[in-house]
Amino acid sequence: MRVKFADILQAFEFADISGGVVECRTFLCRQTGKIYYQFDQDDLQELEEDDLPDDIEDETKYLQIPNTRDLDLGKPLVIAFVREFLPNDVDDVRYIFSKRGAYQKFKALLSRRGAIDAWHDYRNKATERALRDWCEIHSIEIID
């Protein structure tokens, strides 16, 4: 199946909403490459362009798009970034991520160090690489 990378990335970003105000799961049809969005909040159902297929949970027909946790792009990525770009802050960042509100505190640290743009670039490249690897593992042909 052939799918635009931008569509996979958008579905990943929606799936990454999970844990916030809205829960969302995204699925890729293995035959057509069409992406479906499943929102857990009833009032968001109008955001879905089409109704979900009744068999959306059938893993032989639909592949659930991963989220940040599935691809180890959360805390492990933060630690890898800090080791490379802010090695003197590794212990502080580990401590930050042992408490609630870690990302807000991490962003404040990045701001103090002038490293916000470097973090965004690093995270975006890692996300793209991880998603492309995921697609390859699942035999999804990417159209750029």
Side-chain angles (χ1 to χ4, degrees):
M1 104 197 73
R2 297 169 51 117
V3 182
K4 291 181 184 176
F5 183 75
D7 293 343
I8 294 285
L9 181 60
Q10 180 180 356
F12 168 81
E13 289 170 348
F14 266 92
D16 228 32
I17 293 172
S18 293
V21 175
V22 176
E23 295 290 325
C24 177
R25 295 189 314 159
T26 54
F27 297 87
L28 175 68
C29 177
R30 292 180 185 265
Q31 280 190 314
T32 66
K34 180 177 172 79
I35 295 175
Y36 293 92
Y37 295 82
Q38 181 183 47
F39 296 95
D40 288 344
Q41 236 177 357
D42 292 336
D43 58 347
L44 293 177
Q45 292 301 321
E46 72 260 8
L47 292 178
E48 297 180 47
E49 290 181 19
D50 297 307
D51 291 329
L52 288 173
D54 291 335
D55 59 351
I56 194 75
E57 301 289 336
D58 184 343
E59 293 178 3
T60 63
K61 295 180 181 179
Y62 302 96
L63 184 60
Q64 186 171 346
I65 305 282
N67 62 27
T68 295
R69 261 191 213 112
D70 297 331
L71 298 178
D72 280 335
L73 295 173
K75 181 179 173 182
L77 185 65
V78 168
I79 299 300
F81 171 81
V82 172
R83 281 187 181 137
E84 185 174 340
F85 291 92
L86 305 169
N88 294 333
D89 293 313
V90 171
D91 290 336
D92 290 339
V93 171
R94 284 181 195 223
Y95 178 75
I96 286 170
F97 275 84
S98 71
K99 307 284 184 190
R100 294 179 62 78
Y103 278 99
Q104 184 176 1
K105 292 173 186 167
F106 176 60
K107 288 180 182 180
L109 174 73
L110 291 174
S111 181
R112 288 192 306 274
R113 301 288 188 260
I116 290 176
D117 290 340
W119 163 244
H120 287 170
D121 185 53
Y122 187 87
R123 185 191 61 206
N124 290 343
K125 286 178 182 174
T127 299
E128 181 173 345
R129 186 172 49 251
L131 280 174
R132 287 183 183 276
D133 289 348
W134 179 83
C135 288
E136 186 174 328
I137 288 167
H138 293 286
S139 302
I140 300 166
E141 185 181 344
I142 294 297
I143 306 167
D144 283 314

